């Protein structure tokens, strides 16, 4: 009948405790009895009952004070307390409820009333605990679901962006490589053809040194000697230009390469350089601001085990944000003012050999950020840009890639008027 509930009875009169214990034990409850508030508080340090029956009028610590101390303790605050009292005035009853009691029973108590009230509050307590447990479970499940959803959204956005970029770059590289390959081959053939023409011209000059006056005048008009000397140089320069275009195409593919299932050893400087190359068009001067200067300070780094495609996306987000800072500043200042204070992005790498860690700094000397913005900068969907200008996902994705995918750390330090510095810590292995 008692469903193994445990009850603590507190009364300074042993006779009252005996009656309470007998009545509740017969009803199937497990009862512990103490004769003072002090002993009750001490007992609660090692014993956690389901219900407390508490006398009000006791020497030493009375029932009101005992109740107050029980409710002040987070470990015992949830235990329901029923006052057993000879005080029947409304003021005492109100005080008991204000201190956290759930009910009261007047002395001398009637056995049916005692058992009914005890049973009611134990059932309520049991239902409340069950409800709290279910709420906690549902809350935990909801938090897990929300976190999984957030991670899934970030991963989907990241994968879609990288996939779209990879497809775009692959297509552009293909379109570039075909005509450039044709030009490169044609230049090689042209060099051979021209070399043969030069050889033919030399033979002609050797066996017919006394050419007609018109031929000699034409040779002087076109400066034949200079032409024969300069044309091979021009063709070599053209071939060098086509090689540069092919290198740019290769850099684009390096930036957008798809990651494998496992980390690979990578030269981080290649990723930084390829990202800067892609953003080069945004670094150039325009009608609103001068060109943005990029200062590189690379240390001698070992290869780092990582997902290079993901890290390139982090570099892209940080560098693009730095450029955005300068573009926004250009809306508030004149071209002349900006020329007086060059806009600079600094990319620096260093090796902490003792910690087996590589540090990458991406800094700007822009307007900087407040402490409030710095505290939220990596939060999901947080952005300082206007509507339609930013998703609030870039730095959140960067944070996830560095901290969760690479077991690293990313920090921001900024001062208003002095610029911002993002620091990436990456373990080498």
């Amino acid at each position: 009948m008692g469903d193994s509930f445990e009850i603590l009875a507190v009364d300074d009169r042993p006779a009252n405790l005996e009656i309470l214990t007998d009545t509740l034990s017969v009803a199937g409850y497990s009862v512990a009895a103490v004769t003072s508030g002090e002993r009750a508080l001490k007992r609660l340090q090692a014993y956690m009952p389901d219900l407390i029956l508490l006398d009000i009028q006791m020497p030493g610590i009375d029932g009101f004070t005992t109740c107050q101390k029980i409710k002040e303790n987070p470990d015992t605050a949830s235990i329901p307390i029923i006052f057993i009292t000879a005080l029947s005035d409304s003021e005492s009853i109100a005080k008991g409820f204000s201190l956290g009691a759930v009910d009261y029973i007047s002395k001398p108590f009637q056995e049916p009333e005692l058992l009914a009230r005890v049973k009611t509050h134990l059932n309520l307590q049991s239902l409340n605990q069950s409800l709290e447990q279910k709420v906690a479970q549902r809350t935990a499940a909801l938090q897990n679901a929300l976190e999984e959803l957030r991670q899934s959204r970030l991963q989907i956005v990241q994968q879609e962006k990288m996939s779209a970029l990879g497809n775009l770059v692959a297509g552009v590289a293909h379109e570039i490589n075909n005509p450039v390959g044709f030009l490169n081959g044609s230049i090689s053939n042209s060099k051979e053809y021209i070399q043969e023409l030069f050889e033919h011209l030399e033979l002609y000059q050797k066996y017919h040194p006394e050419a007609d006056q018109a031929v000699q005048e034409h040779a002087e008009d076109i400066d034949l000697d200079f032409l024969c000397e300069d044309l091979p140089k021009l063709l070599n320069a053209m071939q060098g230009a086509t090689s540069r275009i092919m290198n740019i195409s290769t850099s684009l593919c390096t930036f957008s390469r798809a990651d494998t299932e496992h980390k690979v050893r990578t030269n981080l400087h290649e990723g930084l350089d390829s990202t800067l190359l892609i953003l080069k068009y945004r670094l150039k001067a325009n009608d609103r601001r001068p060109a943005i200067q990029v200062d590189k300070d690379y240390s001698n780094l070992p290869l780092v085990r990582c997902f290079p495609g993901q890290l390139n996306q982090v570099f892209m987000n940080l560098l693009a944000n730095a450029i955005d800072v300068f573009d926004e500043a250009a809306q508030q200042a004149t071209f002349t003012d900006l020329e007086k204070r060059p806009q600079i992005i600094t990319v620096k790498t260093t090796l902490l050999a003792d910690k087996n860690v590589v540090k990458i700094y991406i800094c700007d000397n822009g307007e900087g950020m407040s402490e409030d913005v710095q505290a939220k900068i990596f939060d999901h969907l947080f952005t300082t840009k206007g509507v339609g200008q930013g998703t609030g996902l870039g730095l959140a994705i960067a944070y996830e890639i560095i901290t969760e995918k690479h077991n690293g750390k990313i920090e921001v330090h900024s001062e208003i008027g002095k610029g911002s510095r993002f620091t990436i810590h990456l373990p080498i292995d």
Side-chain angles (χ1 to χ4, degrees), residues 21-223:
T21 301
D22 289 345
T23 302
L24 295 171
S25 297
V26 171
Y29 298 110
S30 175
V31 184
V34 293
T35 57
S36 69
E38 291 90 346
R39 291 184 178 181
L41 295 174
K42 186 175 181 180
R43 184 67 184 270
L44 288 172
Q45 294 176 3
Y47 170 74
M48 200 63 59
D50 299 296
L51 177 71
I52 298 174
L53 297 175
L54 181 59
D55 185 24
I56 291 180
Q57 293 178 304
M58 295 184 295
I61 300 178
D62 64 10
F64 290 139
T65 303
T66 304
C67 177
Q68 183 177 5
K69 290 183 177 296
I70 292 173
K71 294 300 178 182
E72 288 174 349
N73 185 343
D75 295 331
T76 58
S78 62
I79 303 173
I81 297 175
I82 299 177
F83 278 128
I84 298 179
T85 177
L87 300 175
S88 58
D89 61 286
S90 58
E91 183 178 347
S92 297
I93 295 172
K95 182 177 180 180
F97 284 127
S98 69
L99 292 173
V102 296
D103 206 348
Y104 76 97
I105 301 173
S106 299
K107 290 182 180 180
F109 60 83
Q110 301 297 317
E111 181 178 317
E113 179 187 7
L114 171 67
L115 294 176
R117 291 181 184 271
V118 167
K119 181 178 181 181
T120 296
H121 289 291
L122 285 173
N123 287 339
L124 287 174
Q125 176 71 350
S126 179
L127 289 172
N128 186 53
Q129 291 176 345
S130 177
L131 180 61
E132 288 180 350
Q133 184 177 5
K134 289 181 179 179
V135 169
Q137 291 173 347
R138 294 286 178 87
T139 301
L142 180 59
Q143 289 176 338
N144 289 336
L146 288 173
E147 179 62 21
E148 291 176 2
L149 177 61
R150 187 185 74 84
Q151 296 289 346
S152 297
R153 287 188 63 186
L154 287 175
Q155 291 175 5
I156 290 172
V157 171
Q158 175 188 336
Q159 291 168 0
E160 287 182 349
K161 287 178 68 176
M162 293 305 293
S163 176
L165 181 61
N167 292 335
L168 174 64
V169 170
V172 170
H174 178 72
E175 293 298 321
I176 291 175
N177 287 339
N178 282 341
V180 170
F182 167 76
L183 287 174
N184 194 49
S186 297
I187 292 172
S188 296
N189 292 335
S190 297
K191 290 170 69 175
E192 293 178 6
Y193 298 157
I194 290 172
Q195 182 61 35
E196 290 174 354
L197 287 174
F198 283 169
E199 291 173 357
H200 181 76
L201 181 60
E202 288 177 1
L203 287 173
Y204 178 81
Q205 291 173 334
K206 178 178 179 180
Y207 293 104
H208 300 279
E210 298 298 329
D212 293 339
Q213 184 66 27
V215 174
Q216 293 180 7
E217 289 178 357
H218 184 264
E220 292 176 1
D221 290 341
I222 65 173
D223 197 349

Side-chain angles (χ1 to χ4, degrees), residues 280-299:
K280 188 174 182 178
Y281 77 100
R282 292 196 59 195
L283 297 168
K284 294 179 179 179
N286 55 41
D287 58 349
R288 307 189 70 170
R289 61 160 175 76
I292 298 171
Q293 178 181 332
V294 176
D295 291 345
K296 294 192 294 186
D297 182 8
Y298 291 169
S299 296

Side-chain angles (χ1 to χ4, degrees), residues 350-365:
T350 186
L351 173 64
L352 301 182
D354 57 329
K355 295 184 179 179
N356 200 38
V357 169
V358 165
K359 293 178 73 173
I360 304 166
Y361 304 89
I362 296 179
C363 319
D364 66 71
N365 64 337

Side-chain angles (χ1 to χ4, degrees), residues 173-316:
H174 178 72
E175 293 298 321
I176 291 175
N177 287 339
N178 282 341
V180 170
F182 167 76
L183 287 174
N184 194 49
S186 297
I187 292 172
S188 296
N189 292 335
S190 297
K191 290 170 69 175
E192 293 178 6
Y193 298 157
I194 290 172
Q195 182 61 35
E196 290 174 354
L197 287 174
F198 283 169
E199 291 173 357
H200 181 76
L201 181 60
E202 288 177 1
L203 287 173
Y204 178 81
Q205 291 173 334
K206 178 178 179 180
Y207 293 104
H208 300 279
E210 298 298 329
D212 293 339
Q213 184 66 27
V215 174
Q216 293 180 7
E217 289 178 357
H218 184 264
E220 292 176 1
D221 290 341
I222 65 173
D223 197 349
L224 183 60
D225 292 338
F226 173 78
L227 189 150
C228 292
E229 179 184 354
D230 192 59
L231 185 55
K233 296 179 181 178
L234 180 61
L235 290 172
N236 287 334
M238 292 171 63
Q239 198 159 42
T242 58
S243 297
R244 175 166 172 73
I245 295 173
M246 294 180 74
N247 289 336
I248 292 173
S249 176
T250 301
S251 293
L252 289 172
C253 292
T254 298
F255 172 81
S256 61
R257 60 184 168 181
D259 285 322
T260 60
E261 183 179 353
H262 303 288
K263 295 177 182 177
V264 295
R265 294 195 176 277
T266 303
N267 184 335
L268 296 183
H269 294 157
E270 290 182 356
L272 288 165
D273 287 340
S274 65
T275 307
L276 287 168
L277 180 64
I278 291 175
L279 291 171
K280 188 174 182 178
Y281 77 100
R282 292 196 59 195
L283 297 168
K284 294 179 179 179
N286 55 41
D287 58 349
R288 307 189 70 170
R289 61 160 175 76
I292 298 171
Q293 178 181 332
V294 176
D295 291 345
K296 294 192 294 186
D297 182 8
Y298 291 169
S299 296
N300 185 20
L301 298 184
L303 299 180
V304 175
R305 288 187 69 251
C306 65
F307 296 110
Q310 294 183 20
L311 285 186
N312 289 343
Q313 187 178 1
V314 173
F315 302 154
M316 172 66 77

Side-chain angles (χ1 to χ4, degrees), residues 369-396:
M369 296 179 283
S370 67
E371 292 185 2
D372 183 55
V373 171
Q374 292 180 63
K376 302 176 183 177
I377 198 69
F378 298 114
D379 289 355
H380 183 61
L381 298 181
F382 176 78
T383 180
T384 59
K385 299 173 183 176
V387 176
Q389 296 180 345
T391 63
L393 292 174
L395 291 181

